[in-house]
Amino acid sequence: MPELPEVETVRIGLNELLPGHKVVFAASDWAKSFPNSQADVNAFLIGSKVVRVRRRAKVLIIDLDTNYSLIVHLKMTGQLVYRALGNRIRFGAGHPNSSLIGQLPDKSTRVTLELDKAHLFFNDQRKFGWMKLLPTVEIEQLDFFKKVGPEPLEKDFTSTKFIQCLRKRNNSGAKAVLLDQTIVAGVGNIYADESLWGAGIHPAKLVREINDRQLRTLFSELQFVLKLAIDKGGSTDKNYVNAEGKLGSYLNFARVFRREELDCPRCSSAIQKLKVAGRGTHICPACQKL
DNA sequence: CACTTGACCTGTCCGC
DNA sequence: TGCGGACAGGTCAAGT
């Protein structure tokens, strides 16, 4: 569930908190969450210092002063939570993580990094996420990074380039294309639905049947929802928390996502939930016609 | 080659 | 109260 705004929110937080910290110890109880050998961990992670925290698409990159990096994908339920020693995290009442008050690690903690004056916990209920240690220069050689599309919020990413990217999949549905990480990076289910509603485009509409003017609107709506979501600290549905364990509030501002049966904010029609591109999809049937 | 489905996992919810 | 099944959705691999 973490998409670009959630991962960016974690990045901003970790980039404030981590640089300068030394890694003292690392432990994992689920090998797939952190598949590196103990020898590599000992040689390139333990004793290293964090230099900076970057993001590409939905992937976090924690650069170390050993010329190695930790790359982290949160997938659906991953959390990367920093806690200064002696500091307690408070989740909101009623939140599934509210039982975690004051206690981490918990049963979803897959990796614990002990820093000199803090802990960094990688929690992941569903175990789809991962953390990997590898030489910094090898990151761009990974298949994912070679194939991934442009960052939608980069300054030089114009509506013209956006349209060129989408037209490569002219025969596919609009939502399927937005979700394709090789076309545009970082968009997932929430912001695909939100931006398509903003542009008044049905998610199953074929790209070839959408004109350039509508695609330009989709581009500005996509940038709008991504920026708003970063401003609101991301979307917390069930699991997502930021680097300090705090919730995101974008869903309080969502127009269609998880709002089936409620009124469309534009025309008051009842929002519908359907399945498009294999995903739960929310639309206003009046504003978004096929 | 483009598109769909299954696998990876756990927790929650719904119907019986 | 328990139990089976559907569902949640990011990405890769396999199948159509």
Side-chain angles (χ1 to χ4, degrees):
Chain A
M1 195 199 313
E3 306 179 27
L4 188 155
E6 289 73 32
V7 180
E8 178 63 11
T9 301
V10 174
R11 184 202 70 77
I12 291 169
L14 290 179
N15 200 45
E16 292 289 316
L17 295 163
L18 286 183
H21 270 296
K22 181 185 273 190
V23 182
V24 176
F25 185 72
S28 171
D29 66 356
W30 185 255
K32 290 180 179 176
S33 295
F34 189 24
N36 290 84
S37 70
Q38 192 63 52
D40 281 353
V41 169
N42 289 341
F44 305 111
L45 179 61
I46 306 302
S48 72
K49 273 188 183 169
V50 175
V51 176
R52 76 179 71 79
V53 184
R54 298 182 282 145
R55 178 190 61 77
R56 175 77 171 98
K58 299 171 188 169
V59 180
L60 284 163
I61 304 167
I62 303 174
D63 289 322
L64 307 168
D65 67 356
T66 49
N67 291 324
Y68 271 63
S69 299
L70 277 174
I71 62 173
V72 184
H73 201 308
L74 302 174
K75 292 288 180 85
M76 253 94 74
T77 57
Q79 307 172 329
L80 213 43
V81 182
Y82 172 98
R83 296 182 72 187
L85 292 186
N87 202 3
R88 285 168 176 264
I89 295 177
R90 298 200 170 273
F91 293 99
H95 185 263
N97 281 338
S98 59
S99 61
L100 296 189
I101 290 173
Q103 18 188 351
L104 277 177
D106 73 350
K107 64 180 175 180
S108 78
T109 299
R110 309 301 173 200
V111 184
T112 301
L113 293 189
E114 189 182 331
L115 311 175
D116 35 15
K117 286 179 184 155
H119 283 103
L120 185 65
F121 297 102
F122 177 42
N123 301 332
D124 187 15
Q125 177 186 101
R126 290 176 66 182
K127 299 179 175 177
F128 287 179
W130 44 257
M131 168 183 287
K132 291 173 187 165
L133 179 68
L134 80 170
T136 304
V137 296
E138 288 182 15
I139 292 174
E140 59 194 36
Q141 305 307 320
L142 295 174
D143 281 351
F144 177 84
F145 284 95
K146 282 196 288 192
K147 291 189 299 186
V148 72
E151 289 288 329
L153 295 181
E154 282 277 295
K155 282 176 284 291
D156 59 354
F157 189 59
T158 60
S159 62
T160 304
K161 290 181 181 172
F162 176 76
I163 291 170
Q164 280 172 5
C165 289
L166 295 215
R167 295 256 179 248
K168 292 182 204 164
R169 293 279 187 282
N170 238 352
N171 294 319
S172 301
K175 179 163 181 175
V177 176
L178 284 177
L179 294 176
D180 186 337
Q181 300 299 294
T182 70
I183 300 297
V184 178
V187 183
N189 209 34
I190 298 173
Y191 305 107
D193 281 6
E194 289 288 293
S195 58
L196 286 165
W197 177 87
I201 295 171
H202 191 287
K205 189 154 188 154
L206 299 183
V207 172
R208 101 166 91 82
E209 295 170 344
I210 307 173
N211 64 36
D212 280 9
R213 183 189 58 79
Q214 290 174 297
L215 288 182
R216 269 195 297 278
T217 305
L218 179 59
F219 175 70
S220 61
E221 289 293 327
L222 178 62
Q223 289 198 326
F224 169 77
V225 295
L226 293 176
K227 287 177 186 168
L228 177 61
I230 292 170
D231 190 52
K232 301 301 175 189
S235 295
T236 296
D237 181 28
K238 291 191 172 64
N239 287 270
Y240 169 74
V241 295
N242 71 9
E244 299 172 277
K246 294 180 178 162
L247 311 184
S249 68
Y250 176 84
L251 289 186
N252 296 333
F253 302 85
R255 289 83 50 90
V256 285
F257 191 79
R258 289 289 152 76
R259 292 178 55 79
E260 55 268 35
E261 319 270 311
L262 299 175
D263 289 355
C264 168
R266 194 160 41 207
C267 76
S268 299
S269 301
I271 291 164
Q272 290 178 358
K273 183 170 183 185
L274 46 151
K275 187 163 264 198
V276 176
R279 311 295 174 81
T281 298
H282 311 77
I283 65 162
C284 168
C287 297
Q288 297 166 271
K289 298 216 190 278
L290 201 48

